[in-house]
Amino acid sequence: MELTLDQEIEQLKNKPNATTRIVSDGMERHLHIPKKVLDHGFVRVVDYMGDDSAIVQAARVSYGAGTKRARGDAGLIRYLMRHRHTTPFEMCEVKFHIKLPIFVARQWIRHRTANVNEYSARYSVLDREFYVPAPENLAAQSSSNRQGRGEVLDGREAFDVLEILKSDSLRAYGNYELMLSSDGKRGLSRELARINLPVSVYTQWYWKTDLHNLFHFILLRGEQHSQFEIRAYADVIATILGDWVPIAWQAFSDYRINGFELSAKGVECVKRMIKGENVTQESSGMTRREWTEFELAILND
Amino acid sequence: MELTLDQEIEQLKNKPNATTRIVSDGMERHLHIPKKVLDHGFVRVVDYMGDDSAIVQAARVSYGAGTKRARGDAGLIRYLMRHRHTTPFEMCEVKFHIKLPIFVARQWIRHRTANVNEYSARYSVLDREFYVPAPENLAAQSSSNRQGRGEVLDGREAFDVLEILKSDSLRAYGNYELMLSSDGKRGLSRELARINLPVSVYTQWYWKTDLHNLFHFILLRGEQHSQFEIRAYADVIATILGDWVPIAWQAFSDYRINGFELSAKGVECVKRMIKGENVTQESSGMTRREWTEFELAILND
Amino acid sequence: MELTLDQEIEQLKNKPNATTRIVSDGMERHLHIPKKVLDHGFVRVVDYMGDDSAIVQAARVSYGAGTKRARGDAGLIRYLMRHRHTTPFEMCEVKFHIKLPIFVARQWIRHRTANVNEYSARYSVLDREFYVPAPENLAAQSSSNRQGRGEVLDGREAFDVLEILKSDSLRAYGNYELMLSSDGKRGLSRELARINLPVSVYTQWYWKTDLHNLFHFILLRGEQHSQFEIRAYADVIATILGDWVPIAWQAFSDYRINGFELSAKGVECVKRMIKGENVTQESSGMTRREWTEFELAILND
Amino acid sequence: MELTLDQEIEQLKNKPNATTRIVSDGMERHLHIPKKVLDHGFVRVVDYMGDDSAIVQAARVSYGAGTKRARGDAGLIRYLMRHRHTTPFEMCEVKFHIKLPIFVARQWIRHRTANVNEYSARYSVLDREFYVPAPENLAAQSSSNRQGRGEVLDGREAFDVLEILKSDSLRAYGNYELMLSSDGKRGLSRELARINLPVSVYTQWYWKTDLHNLFHFILLRGEQHSQFEIRAYADVIATILGDWVPIAWQAFSDYRINGFELSAKGVECVKRMIKGENVTQESSGMTRREWTEFELAILND
């Protein structure tokens, strides 16, 4: 499959076409080229529509003759982002080819406003590719956060875990092939044989979404509480976004990723602190966990 | 506004760019050029993603190594359409700039899976453009169908109706301007002044959707029970589709537009008829209306 | 229509049924009773599913055996709201019957994740009811905000505006009836005659959505930059929410409505201010408008 | 978990509440009671909104004063179904608690217009429950249909397959527990340990959707080309629908499930056949596969 893909990409890259559509030079450079993620996965831009100027163009339809061109494109995009005028961002669209483990795909698919064509294991045979974490990512269960990771496993324990993950997946795959085989027997249907495979097996899909929903994906899946494995994909996509829609990406970073949402209590605390009061968790009215998040965002250097 | 648009289009048409994305030559010819609809409306393709080959490409991801290339692209697309495998059609996207009366926009917006940026009458002043039907479209209320049109109005009645529509809309617009005017007074806010305008006033928007949802739009809004005025837009878009995705369009025409959905009773009747039985409405078990539709589709030449 | 509705409501209120579903006593008191909005509009709860406990119930499915019941329901709901774990809020659903002017309906319908059945002016004749603002709501165009309202109009100007709105809508309705009339003529079809009516005419619909999307509606349409007329509906719905899901509503008020979203620059400014620095717009790095919003939220008492 | 559920259900069933909402007696009987599906799965109605009368009620809002009550409720519902007026069906909502294998969940989740809360294997430990097909469902790969099942496996082959499925899943689960264990070591985080489990492991979720989308689910997942295991769930839900909305269900059966969609070519063939012509695949203009489907639907007894 890799080989076929390589040939296809060569062909595409060597055959530029003329269009009078908006072209993003930053995105053309990414087009068709798989970016490696995890041990066997990748993200590959298959197609796109629009760029920063398409956001501006759509916003100017809304504002009509009323838009003073005085405010430049960057100013307008930042204004839209700050005020959550999200519809102009929906005017950009992107289509990815993604290879990813099933347990990552299961988190990913929860983003409903997207179009998906996934490889069918009812129709075709899955490849022998399983996600096995790198030793430095073999984290213990967090003791403070029920859905998080703690410290990295020690050598011996790590070694044992990797052995289990590898041998169990290989055995499962071997038995998958055995059950499928019609050598001297009927051979189990593909749709049943695959139920023996672990959720670490790789699948692939085409995934198409608009920029607004992609930002939302990045916000949720790129943040620190998200599972490391899907975050790895979000990080790669974030890099691509920076080249595709640099102004919108900067605004998104400033107003969402690196911003902080104060609650009503948070606003009160900030007001008191600015006046010089020494506010503590106890006097803040926040729960311990909420205070910790507040402290981290507002009081740390 | 028209003038600015013309200049913008000239610039775009004269500035082709290089891309390694899929390019549809049929669609490039439509790009940017407004197609006139009704008296002041238009449909204009602003951008697009994919073509027939993109549908095939996405379907082949699903089928993986299992796809025999024996079946050509057209065969595959027809298979997908027949079996309502709709996701590959979602892999094509198109963005239109549309100018349309508000009462048409209100029907249009019910198609929820789309992205929209509409001209804001809170922000800017609406143009003095109202839909006034051509005399041959001035239809009387249908006597048989509560939500339909009957015969065309006679000369005198038609004349009176056109006079009313023109004079009422002009008066409403004159008063709109009067209320807005801050000449010697404050001037009413735009968001309030516009409530005086009739639903025949033209608005405009960018509207972006995928091919699957666009087909659904054409099916619902292009059929005979749809109001003539939105059908006029659906017809223009249908023409564009024929040039953009000719294979998918043909399949859609064959399996949806020109097909007919038999009910369980319809299947029974067809079976009996093929055996030579003379089935009537009474012996069909259908209601009168259902039978009429059945007769029209199956028995007419 | 009003009369029929009254009778229907009487019947419903007097016929309680037994169910083993979750029942919200706070919501049962609102059920079926129209709450007046604007001059002729109303909001009426037709049906609902779930309450605060349904949010908790759904969240506990996600957390499974891992949920320590130590954290009470309120704590859990506040945690979900703070961390934007939105899916449990989607587990509550509500259906409203709403009567509203068309220009409000046009803003409302942009919330796409909802189910709608609207009165059809193709099928039936619209009532002679138009929104005419109360004199105290007749605001001038804002001089600082292109899509906002400024001061209230003075007596004479207000009087003139009200006269225009009333007489134009009555004339339009009179002509609507005239065109429809088949007295001695064919009578124009309903779908065409209605194009003469202004967007201030009242329509009505059933509107069904889930609690997460309803919160989003309230956030966008209940805030100060939203047009007064749709805000009036959001305010009434907000009151109902307080009785239906009091804990979720409180969390939503604390974390969304009365919170404030700091940008990266906002976070920096707050840190500097807490350290005692006197930050101004110039030294903040914010635009004038962004600074004004920041000042209003963080520095005002 | 089962035990807790049983207690909870007892409590709920014994505590009927008064409501003035629409109550469906047919649905009340299903409420809270798990219906067994496959070896460890179930479907359980948690809550619902509306019934047949709610569909009628919403449709009558659209038609307003124009609705002649002459056509009874059943007639109206059948009319809506036949003409694909789908919005009134969206006015009914239902919430299920479902336990299902992950490979079934992955097909199910593709239905995007629904609300979901799934058990989190990042947060909690999964139970030792795996789907193992009953011997009579151990089908070989179909030789004619790449994504289908053929004949049932013979005794020896079936025995071997079952042994593999059982032993591989038990080994995977044993190693899952081993990796999680912090007995004398750190213990791998839950979100990583679970990647060793096969897609036959059971998960559970709350799933909420409207009746229109549920019908669509039944149509796609209940038909013969759908994988047997998800069809088992669709069949159980179909039974529940028959009790909840008997009129709508009957209309759906007549117009969708038991109907047949003729293509343009199919319409032509039917016309020719009714006139007495003996049409064959060759003279039909259909592909072999299309003809087979046509023959099966129209010509068989």
Side-chain angles (χ1 to χ4, degrees):
Chain A
M1 169 144 265
E2 292 296 336
L3 192 68
T4 330
L5 196 55
D6 285 352
Q7 291 173 340
E8 206 181 308
I9 290 161
E10 272 313 301
Q11 287 178 351
L12 289 164
K13 294 302 291 181
N14 293 329
K15 215 190 76 183
N17 299 297
T19 184
T20 62
R21 289 176 288 173
I22 288 174
V23 169
S24 157
D25 291 331
M27 196 63 154
E28 290 285 332
R29 285 192 294 273
H30 288 292
L31 212 50
H32 312 305
I33 302 167
K35 322 278 169 186
K36 208 167 155 42
V37 191
L38 304 181
D39 48 357
H40 299 291
F42 62 74
V43 166
R44 181 170 83 95
V45 181
V46 173
D47 207 340
Y48 70 92
M49 175 192 283
D51 66 359
D52 278 327
S53 73
I55 301 165
V56 170
Q57 188 188 39
R60 294 212 194 276
V61 171
S62 296
Y63 300 145
T67 327
K68 291 192 207 70
R69 300 261 165 171
R71 168 150 49 189
D73 287 3
L76 178 55
I77 288 176
R78 294 179 70 82
Y79 170 87
L80 297 170
M81 183 66 75
R82 191 162 81 249
H83 288 272
R84 294 188 179 272
H85 291 189
T86 56
T87 52
F89 297 101
E90 296 175 20
M91 290 291 156
C92 293
E93 190 90 8
V94 61
K95 183 171 14 172
F96 294 108
H97 180 189
I98 292 159
K99 190 168 170 188
L100 70 181
I102 283 182
F103 72 93
V104 174
R106 298 231 305 133
Q107 298 176 346
W108 197 305
I109 201 75
R110 297 307 319 282
H111 295 260
R112 288 164 287 189
T113 310
N115 313 108
V116 184
N117 272 109
E118 185 176 353
Y119 186 91
S120 167
R122 297 183 67 199
Y123 203 93
S124 299
V125 177
L126 284 161
D127 291 337
R128 187 181 7 213
E129 289 175 322
F130 301 88
Y131 171 63
V132 179
E136 67 269 24
N137 293 323
L138 271 187
Q141 180 64 32
S142 163
S143 54
S144 63
N145 178 350
R146 284 196 60 89
Q147 79 175 5
R149 294 184 183 187
E151 295 177 63
V152 171
L153 297 192
D154 290 330
R156 179 68 214 178
E157 190 179 355
F159 181 84
D160 290 347
V161 161
L162 291 178
E163 276 312 295
I164 288 175
L165 292 176
K166 282 178 201 162
S167 66
D168 276 9
S169 56
L170 287 180
R171 183 191 326 265
Y173 195 86
N175 282 330
Y176 171 60
E177 286 185 310
L178 190 64
M179 293 188 288
L180 284 176
S181 164
S182 54
D183 189 5
K185 51 198 179 87
R186 292 195 188 277
L188 186 62
S189 58
R190 282 184 281 275
E191 68 180 25
L192 277 179
R194 54 90 180 254
I195 76 172
N196 199 49
L197 296 176
V199 294
S200 60
V201 73
Y202 274 86
T203 183
Q204 45 182 305
W205 60 32
Y206 269 38
W207 186 70
K208 172 172 154 287
T209 195
D210 64 64
L211 183 57
H212 165 61
N213 280 286
L214 189 54
F215 277 148
H216 192 67
F217 176 87
I218 299 287
L219 200 62
L220 262 62
R221 304 304 175 178
E223 64 104 36
Q224 57 156 344
H225 292 102
S226 177
Q227 183 160 355
F228 166 79
E229 283 75 18
I230 195 167
R231 216 160 65 220
Y233 287 85
D235 289 349
V236 168
I237 292 176
T239 309
I240 294 170
L241 285 181
D243 290 333
W244 177 30
V245 283
I247 300 174
W249 174 255
Q250 188 61 49
F252 176 67
S253 301
D254 292 349
Y255 292 112
R256 296 289 172 279
I257 298 184
N258 299 314
F260 184 72
E261 209 176 357
L262 292 172
S263 67
K265 279 183 187 130
V267 170
E268 276 321 299
C269 288
V270 164
K271 284 183 177 177
R272 287 157 61 194
M273 284 164 157
I274 289 175
K275 286 182 184 148
E277 188 180 334
N278 181 23
V279 182
T280 63
Q281 188 237 314
E282 288 70 27
S283 68
S284 73
M286 298 186 200
T287 62
R288 187 176 306 273
R289 186 153 175 185
E290 193 177 349
W291 176 257
T292 308
E293 292 163 13
F294 175 79
E295 219 174 7
L296 199 70
I298 298 298
L299 301 178
N300 267 29
D301 276 319
Chain B
M1 168 143 266
E2 291 297 335
L3 191 68
T4 329
L5 196 56
D6 286 352
Q7 291 173 340
E8 208 181 307
I9 292 162
E10 272 314 299
Q11 287 179 351
L12 289 164
K13 295 301 290 181
N14 293 329
K15 217 190 73 181
N17 298 298
T19 185
T20 63
R21 289 176 288 173
I22 288 173
V23 169
S24 157
D25 291 331
M27 196 61 153
E28 290 285 332
R29 284 193 294 275
H30 287 293
L31 213 50
H32 312 304
I33 301 169
K35 320 279 170 186
K36 207 165 156 40
V37 192
L38 302 182
D39 48 356
H40 300 290
F42 62 73
V43 166
R44 181 168 84 94
V45 181
V46 172
D47 208 341
Y48 70 92
M49 175 192 283
D51 65 0
D52 278 327
S53 74
I55 300 165
V56 170
Q57 189 189 39
R60 295 213 194 274
V61 170
S62 296
Y63 300 144
T67 328
K68 291 193 207 68
R69 299 262 165 173
R71 172 153 42 191
D73 287 2
L76 179 53
I77 287 176
R78 294 180 70 82
Y79 171 86
L80 297 170
M81 181 67 75
R82 192 164 78 250
H83 288 272
R84 294 189 179 270
H85 291 190
T86 56
T87 52
F89 297 101
E90 296 176 20
M91 288 292 157
C92 294
E93 189 90 9
V94 61
K95 184 175 7 175
F96 294 108
H97 180 188
I98 293 159
K99 189 167 169 188
L100 71 181
I102 283 181
F103 72 94
V104 174
R106 298 229 307 133
Q107 298 177 346
W108 197 303
I109 201 75
R110 295 307 320 281
H111 295 259
R112 286 163 288 187
T113 310
N115 312 108
V116 185
N117 271 108
E118 185 177 356
Y119 185 91
S120 168
R122 296 183 67 200
Y123 202 92
S124 299
V125 176
L126 285 161
D127 289 337
R128 187 184 2 217
E129 290 175 322
F130 301 88
Y131 170 62
V132 178
E136 66 270 24
N137 293 322
L138 271 186
Q141 180 64 32
S142 163
S143 53
S144 63
N145 178 352
R146 285 196 60 88
Q147 80 175 5
R149 294 185 183 185
E151 295 177 63
V152 172
L153 297 193
D154 290 328
R156 179 66 214 181
E157 190 178 354
F159 181 84
D160 289 348
V161 162
L162 291 178
E163 275 312 294
I164 288 175
L165 292 176
K166 283 178 200 164
S167 65
D168 276 7
S169 56
L170 288 181
R171 183 190 327 266
Y173 196 85
N175 281 330
Y176 171 59
E177 286 186 310
L178 189 64
M179 292 188 287
L180 285 175
S181 164
S182 55
D183 189 6
K185 52 197 181 83
R186 290 194 189 278
L188 187 62
S189 58
R190 281 182 283 273
E191 68 181 26
L192 277 178
R194 55 91 179 252
I195 76 173
N196 199 49
L197 296 176
V199 293
S200 60
V201 74
Y202 274 87
T203 181
Q204 44 183 306
W205 60 32
Y206 270 38
W207 186 70
K208 172 172 155 285
T209 195
D210 64 62
L211 183 58
H212 165 61
N213 280 286
L214 188 55
F215 277 149
H216 192 67
F217 176 87
I218 299 287
L219 200 61
L220 263 62
R221 304 307 174 176
E223 63 104 38
Q224 55 157 346
H225 292 103
S226 177
Q227 183 160 355
F228 165 79
E229 282 75 18
I230 195 167
R231 217 160 65 220
Y233 286 86
D235 288 349
V236 168
I237 292 175
T239 308
I240 294 171
L241 285 181
D243 290 333
W244 178 31
V245 284
I247 300 174
W249 174 255
Q250 188 61 48
F252 176 67
S253 300
D254 291 350
Y255 291 113
R256 297 289 172 277
I257 297 184
N258 299 315
F260 183 71
E261 209 175 358
L262 293 172
S263 68
K265 280 183 187 130
V267 170
E268 275 322 298
C269 288
V270 163
K271 284 181 178 179
R272 287 157 63 194
M273 284 166 158
I274 288 175
K275 287 183 185 147
E277 188 181 334
N278 180 25
V279 181
T280 62
Q281 188 237 314
E282 287 69 28
S283 67
S284 72
M286 299 186 200
T287 62
R288 187 176 305 273
R289 187 153 175 184
E290 195 178 347
W291 176 258
T292 307
E293 291 163 14
F294 175 80
E295 218 176 6
L296 199 69
I298 298 299
L299 301 178
N300 268 29
D301 276 317
Chain C
M1 167 142 266
E2 291 296 335
L3 192 67
T4 328
L5 195 56
D6 285 353
Q7 291 172 341
E8 207 181 306
I9 292 162
E10 273 313 300
Q11 287 179 352
L12 289 164
K13 295 299 292 180
N14 293 329
K15 216 191 76 183
N17 299 297
T19 185
T20 63
R21 288 176 289 173
I22 288 172
V23 169
S24 157
D25 290 332
M27 197 62 154
E28 290 283 332
R29 284 192 295 273
H30 288 292
L31 213 50
H32 311 305
I33 302 169
K35 320 280 170 185
K36 207 167 156 41
V37 191
L38 302 183
D39 48 357
H40 300 290
F42 62 74
V43 165
R44 181 169 84 95
V45 181
V46 172
D47 208 340
Y48 71 92
M49 176 192 282
D51 64 0
D52 279 326
S53 74
I55 301 165
V56 171
Q57 189 189 38
R60 293 212 195 274
V61 171
S62 297
Y63 301 144
T67 328
K68 292 192 205 68
R69 299 262 165 170
R71 171 151 47 190
D73 288 2
L76 179 54
I77 287 176
R78 294 180 69 82
Y79 171 86
L80 297 170
M81 182 65 75
R82 192 163 79 250
H83 289 271
R84 295 189 178 273
H85 291 189
T86 56
T87 51
F89 297 102
E90 296 175 20
M91 289 292 157
C92 294
E93 189 90 9
V94 61
K95 184 174 9 175
F96 294 108
H97 180 188
I98 293 159
K99 189 166 170 188
L100 73 179
I102 283 181
F103 72 94
V104 173
R106 298 230 305 135
Q107 298 177 345
W108 198 304
I109 201 75
R110 295 307 320 279
H111 295 260
R112 286 163 287 188
T113 310
N115 313 107
V116 184
N117 272 108
E118 184 176 355
Y119 186 90
S120 168
R122 296 183 68 199
Y123 203 93
S124 299
V125 177
L126 285 161
D127 290 337
R128 188 182 6 215
E129 290 175 322
F130 301 88
Y131 171 63
V132 178
E136 66 270 24
N137 293 323
L138 271 187
Q141 179 64 32
S142 163
S143 53
S144 63
N145 179 350
R146 284 197 59 90
Q147 81 175 3
R149 294 184 184 187
E151 294 175 65
V152 171
L153 297 192
D154 291 327
R156 179 65 214 182
E157 190 179 354
F159 181 84
D160 290 346
V161 162
L162 292 178
E163 276 312 294
I164 287 174
L165 292 176
K166 283 177 201 164
S167 64
D168 276 7
S169 57
L170 288 180
R171 182 189 330 264
Y173 196 85
N175 281 330
Y176 171 60
E177 287 186 310
L178 189 64
M179 291 188 288
L180 286 176
S181 164
S182 54
D183 189 6
K185 51 200 179 86
R186 292 195 188 276
L188 186 63
S189 60
R190 283 183 282 274
E191 67 181 26
L192 277 180
R194 54 90 179 253
I195 76 173
N196 199 50
L197 296 176
V199 294
S200 60
V201 74
Y202 274 87
T203 181
Q204 44 183 305
W205 60 31
Y206 270 38
W207 186 70
K208 171 171 155 288
T209 194
D210 64 63
L211 183 58
H212 165 61
N213 280 286
L214 189 54
F215 277 150
H216 192 67
F217 176 88
I218 299 288
L219 201 61
L220 262 63
R221 303 306 175 176
E223 62 104 37
Q224 56 157 344
H225 292 103
S226 176
Q227 182 161 354
F228 166 79
E229 282 76 18
I230 196 168
R231 217 159 67 220
Y233 287 85
D235 288 349
V236 167
I237 293 175
T239 309
I240 294 170
L241 284 181
D243 290 334
W244 178 29
V245 284
I247 299 174
W249 173 255
Q250 187 62 48
F252 175 67
S253 300
D254 291 350
Y255 291 113
R256 296 289 171 277
I257 297 183
N258 300 314
F260 183 72
E261 209 174 358
L262 291 172
S263 68
K265 279 183 188 131
V267 170
E268 275 322 298
C269 287
V270 163
K271 284 182 178 179
R272 288 157 62 194
M273 284 165 158
I274 289 176
K275 286 181 184 150
E277 189 181 332
N278 181 25
V279 182
T280 62
Q281 188 236 314
E282 287 70 26
S283 67
S284 72
M286 298 185 199
T287 61
R288 189 177 304 273
R289 186 152 175 184
E290 194 177 347
W291 176 258
T292 308
E293 291 163 14
F294 176 80
E295 218 175 6
L296 199 70
I298 299 298
L299 301 177
N300 267 30
D301 275 317
Chain D
M1 168 143 268
E2 291 297 335
L3 191 69
T4 330
L5 195 56
D6 286 353
Q7 291 172 341
E8 206 182 307
I9 291 160
E10 272 313 300
Q11 286 179 353
L12 288 164
K13 295 301 292 181
N14 294 327
K15 216 192 74 182
N17 298 297
T19 184
T20 63
R21 289 176 288 174
I22 288 173
V23 169
S24 156
D25 291 331
M27 195 62 155
E28 290 283 333
R29 284 192 294 274
H30 288 291
L31 212 50
H32 312 303
I33 301 167
K35 321 280 169 185
K36 208 167 154 41
V37 191
L38 304 181
D39 48 357
H40 300 290
F42 62 74
V43 165
R44 180 169 85 94
V45 181
V46 173
D47 208 340
Y48 70 91
M49 176 193 282
D51 65 0
D52 279 327
S53 73
I55 301 165
V56 170
Q57 188 189 38
R60 294 214 193 274
V61 171
S62 296
Y63 301 145
T67 329
K68 290 194 207 66
R69 300 262 164 172
R71 171 152 46 190
D73 287 2
L76 179 54
I77 287 176
R78 294 180 71 82
Y79 171 86
L80 297 171
M81 182 66 76
R82 193 163 79 249
H83 289 271
R84 294 189 179 272
H85 291 188
T86 56
T87 52
F89 297 101
E90 296 176 20
M91 289 292 156
C92 293
E93 189 89 10
V94 62
K95 185 173 9 174
F96 294 108
H97 180 188
I98 292 159
K99 190 167 169 187
L100 70 180
I102 283 181
F103 72 94
V104 174
R106 297 231 305 134
Q107 298 176 346
W108 197 303
I109 200 74
R110 296 305 321 281
H111 295 261
R112 288 163 286 188
T113 309
N115 314 108
V116 185
N117 272 108
E118 184 175 355
Y119 186 90
S120 168
R122 298 183 66 199
Y123 203 93
S124 300
V125 177
L126 284 160
D127 290 337
R128 187 180 8 215
E129 289 175 324
F130 301 89
Y131 171 63
V132 179
E136 67 269 24
N137 293 322
L138 271 186
Q141 180 63 33
S142 162
S143 54
S144 63
N145 178 351
R146 285 197 59 90
Q147 80 174 6
R149 294 184 182 185
E151 293 176 63
V152 172
L153 297 192
D154 291 329
R156 179 66 213 181
E157 190 179 354
F159 182 84
D160 290 347
V161 161
L162 291 177
E163 276 312 294
I164 287 175
L165 292 177
K166 282 177 201 162
S167 65
D168 276 8
S169 57
L170 288 180
R171 183 192 325 268
Y173 196 86
N175 281 331
Y176 170 61
E177 285 185 312
L178 190 64
M179 293 188 286
L180 285 176
S181 164
S182 54
D183 188 6
K185 51 195 180 84
R186 291 194 189 279
L188 187 62
S189 58
R190 282 182 282 273
E191 67 180 27
L192 277 180
R194 54 90 180 252
I195 75 172
N196 199 49
L197 296 176
V199 294
S200 60
V201 74
Y202 275 86
T203 181
Q204 43 183 306
W205 61 31
Y206 269 38
W207 186 68
K208 172 171 154 285
T209 194
D210 65 64
L211 183 58
H212 165 61
N213 280 286
L214 189 55
F215 277 149
H216 192 67
F217 175 88
I218 299 288
L219 200 62
L220 261 62
R221 304 306 174 176
E223 64 104 37
Q224 57 156 344
H225 292 103
S226 177
Q227 183 161 354
F228 166 79
E229 283 75 17
I230 195 168
R231 216 161 64 221
Y233 287 85
D235 288 349
V236 168
I237 292 176
T239 309
I240 294 170
L241 285 182
D243 290 333
W244 177 30
V245 283
I247 300 174
W249 173 255
Q250 188 60 49
F252 176 67
S253 301
D254 291 350
Y255 291 112
R256 297 289 172 276
I257 297 183
N258 300 315
F260 183 71
E261 207 175 359
L262 293 171
S263 67
K265 280 183 187 129
V267 170
E268 275 322 298
C269 288
V270 163
K271 284 183 178 177
R272 287 158 60 194
M273 284 164 157
I274 289 176
K275 286 183 185 146
E277 188 180 334
N278 180 25
V279 182
T280 62
Q281 188 236 313
E282 288 69 27
S283 67
S284 73
M286 299 186 200
T287 63
R288 188 177 305 273
R289 187 153 176 184
E290 193 178 347
W291 176 259
T292 308
E293 292 163 13
F294 175 80
E295 219 174 5
L296 199 71
I298 299 299
L299 301 178
N300 268 29
D301 274 319

